[in-house]
């Protein structure tokens, strides 16, 4: 049986930006490109970036910003039941994000499975 498995999390991206807004926009764009590539490859079924906030401001001129991004990702898996699907989906999501070089991921929810 096919299940859609979703999981929410956060990641941090460090980059140079001219302002808080520019840095947040650039980080959101960078994460969106990575997630869109995973969707185009069929590795994930859906994704959403919920929020971007400055985690750490530059301490000196030309120092980078660190931005925290909240996101959710969905994969579709075949499994016998929802519990097995959640376990398989959580692993698939972690592998996909690692492959896309999404670093410092902290999950803010357990994997949730529903019939696709």
């Amino acid at each position: 049986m096919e299940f859609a498995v979703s999981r929410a999390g956060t990641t941090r991206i460090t980059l140079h930006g001219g302002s808080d807004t520019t840095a947040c926009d650039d980080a959101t764009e960078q994460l969106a490109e990575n997630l869109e590539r995973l969707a185009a490859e069929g590795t994930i079924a859906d994704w959403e970036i919920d929020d971007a906030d400055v985690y750490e401001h530059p301490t000196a001129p030309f120092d980078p910003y660190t931005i925290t991004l909240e996101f959710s990702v969905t994969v579709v898996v075949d499994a016998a039941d929802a519990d097995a699907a959640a376990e398989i989906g959580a692993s698939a999501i972690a592998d996909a994000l690692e492959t896309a070089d999404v670093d410092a991921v902290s999950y803010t929810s357990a994997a949730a499975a529903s019939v696709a």
Side-chain angles (χ1 to χ4, degrees):
M1 179 180 271
E2 273 194 348
F3 289 88
V5 180
S6 299
R7 194 158 195 199
T10 62
T11 187
R12 291 189 188 133
I13 295 178
T14 301
L15 46 74
H16 293 275
S19 68
D20 292 4
T21 303
T22 303
C24 287
D25 290 348
D26 290 349
T28 300
E29 184 177 316
Q30 183 177 334
L31 180 59
E33 287 173 3
N34 284 343
L35 296 176
E36 186 61 40
R37 185 170 28 89
L38 290 174
E41 294 169 356
T43 307
I44 62 174
D46 196 18
W47 59 272
E48 183 176 332
I49 299 173
D50 301 317
D51 195 19
D53 289 313
V54 175
Y55 176 77
E56 188 172 281
H57 288 274
T59 56
F62 308 110
D63 280 353
Y65 284 85
T66 300
I67 308 299
T68 300
L69 297 128
E70 297 176 10
F71 65 91
S72 58
V73 177
T74 302
V75 295
V76 176
V77 299
D78 286 319
D81 58 40
D83 291 337
E87 186 175 320
I88 294 166
S91 179
I93 289 168
D95 290 347
L97 294 175
E98 184 178 326
T99 300
D101 293 325
V102 178
D103 298 323
V105 174
S106 298
Y107 295 103
T108 57
S109 71
S114 60
V115 176

